[in-house]
Amino acid sequence: MKKAKFLFFILALIILFTSCKKESDNYIDPRGTDYAGSESCIQCHKIQSESAFHSSHFKASSPATKENILGHFKNGKNTFVYDANTKLVMEERRDTLYQVLYKNGKEVQAYPFEILFGIKHAQTSAYWKNHYTFELPISYYKSINDWATSPGYSATVPNFERQIDKECFGCHSSNIASRYVTTSSDSITFMTMEVEDFMSKRTLIYGIDCERCHGPAKQHVRTHLKFPDLKKAQNIVAFKDLKRQQRIDACAICHSGNDKLKIKSRFQYKPGDDLLNYFRGVPASNDSINYDVHGNQLGLLAQSKCFKKSEAMDCMTCHNPHEDASKNLATYSSMCISCHQGIEHTPATIKTAGKSLLTNCVECHMPKQDSKAIRFQKSNGGAMSSYSLRTHKIAVYPPNKK
Ligand code: HEC
Ligand code: HEC
Ligand code: HEC
Ligand code: HEC
Ligand code: HEC
Ligand code: HEC
Ligand code: HEC
């Protein structure tokens, strides 16, 4: 009897293991059968995977686990005070993280952190209610290493009812499906309409993954697995064969602001597509607009002489698309110098710059600027803080007064 039980146990294990393997072979991507999923790329593209998996793109949105969350949950650094009677406390309860609202010391309601947006400078969060997501009123900012109001939120009245629409996911994730309703006015015509703000939780793919930038790659994977000796890439768009505008568009789909009327969902974009089929109006074509440093790198870059007067400059001139922006500004200087040999700075500038003249072009020509779109306020009616990013409008700026 004991032996039979043991054999059954072994058999169960074997079944479990073989079915696990099958499971990964049969990976189903929520985007459809054309997609292979990023895990499948590692076996042949180790270098790109190792860096991209750790990049901000992959973490542009993520599940709200203790590992991914940035803010403090302990030691007096976890409270946001609205007024003498009202406060919000970040609490961990049985492995789930919450923003808990207290009035006069009594808990009123607890809202879970479920989805995180952002990783480099700031992180804001959302919770699910049925098929909709709502932003939490307090976010974390690295510049102050503390919690403060989410952009646009009051520091005196907590608000948990602001819906996060599909737009955020369009730039911060790789997929989230809406519901489509089919209406029939008579028995012949059918119209399919997207219910914009309805979202299906199980179709969410966190972060910006390989196929968000490269397009569906299942066929590419199949072909190369079948013919391992093939050296030339099959069934995948080659960026090196694309025109400059197409290479720029692959980044501009998310890095040229959110102010142009959209025609199609950003999720439908594939490398090589023309952005004009996605927006009304050309992104980044107007010199008189003061683009915000947040969210519109192309708009600003396109106003620079460097961009206008060189034939091939695109985002990849300075950025490896699989890596974060480098913190080492000297690496960028060498890129500047590759186009700018023998610049003649005035003696005054040379004197101010001192030794850093040749290693820190960026600090003078791409200074950090405050965003006009994002500001935030600290606890207890604290000061308004600004959110600053580097401008991509490369130009001569008045000297920094410190
Ligand atoms: C079985 C091996 C294999 C797998 C798996 C694989 N690739 Fe490739 N891929 C190749 C080979 C071979 C090339 C051509 C040589 C090269 O550029 O490395 C290539 C090239 C590429 C290129 C460059 C295309 C060009 O011509 O510029 C991209 C982009 C790419 N793969 C994306 C992906 C993505 C995304 C995945 C995962 C969804 C993936 N690959 C999975 C084998 C593979
Ligand atoms: C943010 C968009 C983006 C993401 C995410 C991304 N790539 Fe790329 N990838 C690019 C671009 C753009 C190029 C072309 C670079 C160039 O031409 O300078 C490229 C080039 C490549 C190449 C050609 C060789 C090379 O390194 O230039 C391979 C292979 C590749 N990517 C694989 C991957 C894999 C695998 C992943 C996921 C682990 C991934 N990429 C994620 C945008 C992206
Ligand atoms: C699907 C939308 C999307 C696409 C496509 C995209 N980006 Fe991004 N990118 C983002 C978002 C969102 C962030 C902010 C990530 C964060 O910090 O949370 C970001 C961040 C970055 C950063 C800063 C990362 C850091 O930590 O320093 C660079 C640089 C960048 N993107 C360059 C590019 C380039 C170059 C391309 C084109 C090859 C590109 N992006 C394509 C959405 C996108
Ligand atoms: C048009 C594309 C786009 C849309 C729409 C968008 N974002 Fe972003 N977001 C970006 C890019 C690009 C960055 C990083 C670079 C920057 O700030 O310019 C970013 C940065 C962020 C950051 C800071 C991340 C960091 O550390 O740099 C947060 C938090 C964020 N977005 C949340 C949101 C939320 C919430 C929404 C919806 C209300 C949203 N975003 C809509 C493109 C977008
Ligand atoms: C692909 C080549 C290229 C790269 C890379 C490049 N530039 Fe330029 N830049 C140019 C060209 C071309 C001009 C226009 C020169 C002219 O008008 O004669 C220019 C103009 C400028 C100007 C004058 C701007 C004005 O408004 O008068 C400055 C300053 C400048 N670049 C700084 C930089 C810095 C700093 C970097 C690195 C972060 C850089 N450039 C990277 C090609 C480049
Ligand atoms: C001439 C070089 C150059 C080009 C071209 C360029 N960048 Fe950058 N980018 C930089 C530098 C320098 C930084 C700042 C790095 C730092 O401060 O750590 C940066 C930072 C960024 C950041 C992070 C901003 C922040 O303050 O954290 C994003 C996002 C970004 N670039 C996107 C893009 C996109 C999208 C394009 C194409 C439209 C592009 N860049 C083209 C040089 C360049
Ligand atoms: C201390 C700040 C500072 C640093 C560092 C700096 N520049 Fe400049 N740059 C200026 C100023 C200011 C001007 C305007 C002319 C002047 O005063 O010298 C200028 C002018 C320029 C011009 C336009 C020249 C013209 O003929 O119109 C270019 C191109 C340029 N810089 C590129 C660079 C590059 C590339 C680097 C890094 C190798 C660099 N600069 C480092 C401040 C700086």
Side-chain angles (χ1 to χ4, degrees):
M1 195 61 199
K2 262 195 177 155
K3 206 174 174 184
K5 253 190 185 167
F6 180 70
L7 277 177
F8 178 73
F9 178 63
I10 294 291
L11 194 70
L13 270 186
I14 291 170
I15 291 171
L16 192 76
F17 278 7
T18 45
S19 64
C20 272
K21 190 163 178 292
K22 257 207 194 116
E23 195 62 32
S24 66
D25 286 347
N26 292 350
Y27 167 79
I28 296 168
D29 193 287
R31 288 167 289 196
T33 50
D34 294 349
Y35 287 82
S38 295
E39 293 290 326
S40 69
C41 316
I42 308 170
Q43 51 189 317
C44 301
H45 299 299
K46 203 154 170 263
I47 297 169
Q48 289 83 359
S49 304
E50 269 170 7
S51 46
F53 282 2
H54 296 107
S55 69
S56 299
H57 278 140
F58 266 72
K59 293 257 167 87
S61 60
S62 60
T65 59
K66 277 192 271 179
E67 203 180 45
N68 293 334
I69 203 146
L70 296 176
H72 305 282
F73 280 77
K74 282 197 191 91
N75 306 339
K77 292 197 86 177
N78 58 337
T79 304
F80 186 94
V81 178
Y82 284 98
D83 62 41
N85 308 322
T86 320
K87 65 175 182 179
L88 196 70
V89 186
M90 317 303 148
E91 291 181 20
E92 184 189 334
R93 296 176 175 176
R94 289 195 193 162
D95 285 338
T96 304
L97 307 165
Y98 292 91
Q99 297 200 350
V100 187
L101 183 65
Y102 290 91
K103 289 237 175 192
N104 300 313
K106 279 214 189 79
E107 176 175 338
V108 181
Q109 194 152 8
Y111 298 85
F113 285 84
E114 293 189 297
I115 305 168
L116 305 174
F117 291 92
I119 189 81
K120 187 182 190 185
H121 300 286
Q123 194 172 63
T124 200
S125 321
Y127 68 92
W128 283 98
K129 193 158 77 185
N130 302 319
H131 288 284
Y132 305 96
T133 52
F134 295 83
E135 190 166 355
L136 290 169
I138 300 301
S139 296
Y140 173 80
Y141 297 88
K142 275 196 187 161
S143 62
I144 54 167
N145 182 21
D146 205 351
W147 302 98
T149 54
S150 299
Y153 276 75
S154 158
T156 49
V157 187
N159 172 15
F160 293 90
E161 300 306 319
R162 195 161 94 186
Q163 210 171 317
I164 280 200
D165 62 13
K166 226 180 135 185
E167 279 300 291
C168 308
F169 294 91
C171 289
H172 282 266
S173 79
S174 293
N175 187 62
I176 193 156
S178 305
R179 182 172 55 177
Y180 291 85
V181 288
T182 306
T183 54
S184 60
S185 40
D186 52 59
S187 56
I188 305 155
T189 40
F190 282 96
M191 250 168 56
T192 305
M193 271 172 22
E194 191 178 6
V195 185
E196 256 300 340
D197 47 3
F198 179 100
M199 290 179 283
S200 156
K201 199 174 187 169
R202 54 185 178 77
T203 63
L204 171 60
I205 300 177
Y206 290 107
I208 296 153
D209 73 356
C210 314
E211 287 165 291
R212 181 73 210 267
C213 286
H214 287 291
K218 182 75 166 234
Q219 199 52 50
H220 170 73
V221 170
R222 276 208 189 122
T223 307
H224 285 283
L225 282 174
K226 203 166 164 197
F227 306 103
D229 294 334
L230 272 179
K231 293 283 176 283
K232 197 178 177 316
Q234 307 292 315
N235 312 107
I236 191 112
V237 176
F239 270 96
K240 54 183 181 295
D241 298 340
L242 295 182
K243 293 194 204 80
R244 181 192 191 193
Q245 192 57 50
Q246 292 171 309
R247 288 168 59 87
I248 291 167
D249 285 357
C251 312
I253 185 79
C254 303
H255 286 278
S256 63
N258 202 23
D259 48 356
K260 294 159 292 289
L261 264 178
K262 270 204 312 114
I263 305 167
K264 273 200 230 175
S265 160
R266 280 191 177 82
F267 288 122
Q268 286 170 274
Y269 178 85
K270 312 271 179 311
D273 284 1
D274 187 342
L275 267 201
L276 278 175
N277 296 328
Y278 288 79
F279 300 113
R280 284 181 218 287
V282 195
S285 54
N286 196 325
D287 267 5
S288 60
I289 298 177
N290 284 319
Y291 294 114
D292 199 83
V293 281
H294 163 64
N296 205 341
Q297 286 75 26
L298 176 62
L300 292 159
L301 185 67
Q303 293 178 335
S304 318
K305 274 196 191 153
C306 306
F307 184 85
K308 286 191 207 159
K309 299 225 174 158
S310 55
E311 273 171 14
M313 181 183 268
D314 58 34
C315 311
M316 278 68 80
T317 306
C318 300
H319 295 294
N320 176 336
H322 307 126
E323 285 171 13
D324 288 341
S326 170
K327 287 188 183 74
N328 177 359
L329 296 182
T331 58
Y332 292 103
S333 297
S334 58
M335 294 163 194
C336 311
I337 293 168
S338 70
C339 291
H340 291 287
Q341 279 122 6
I343 328 133
E344 290 181 14
H345 284 101
T346 58
T349 305
I350 295 171
K351 196 165 165 245
T352 334
K355 280 197 194 117
S356 66
L357 184 69
L358 294 179
T359 53
N360 207 351
C361 322
V362 170
E363 207 58 57
C364 293
H365 292 294
M366 298 178 71
K368 283 193 179 158
Q369 292 181 342
D370 292 344
S371 164
K372 281 168 208 78
I374 301 181
R375 281 156 68 74
F376 53 91
Q377 200 170 351
K378 289 188 236 178
S379 180
N380 258 321
M384 265 307 213
S385 299
S386 45
Y387 186 79
S388 59
L389 293 174
R390 249 176 227 295
T391 180
H392 275 68
K393 186 171 179 173
I394 307 171
V396 174
Y397 291 88
N400 218 347
K401 288 186 198 81
K402 277 184 190 148

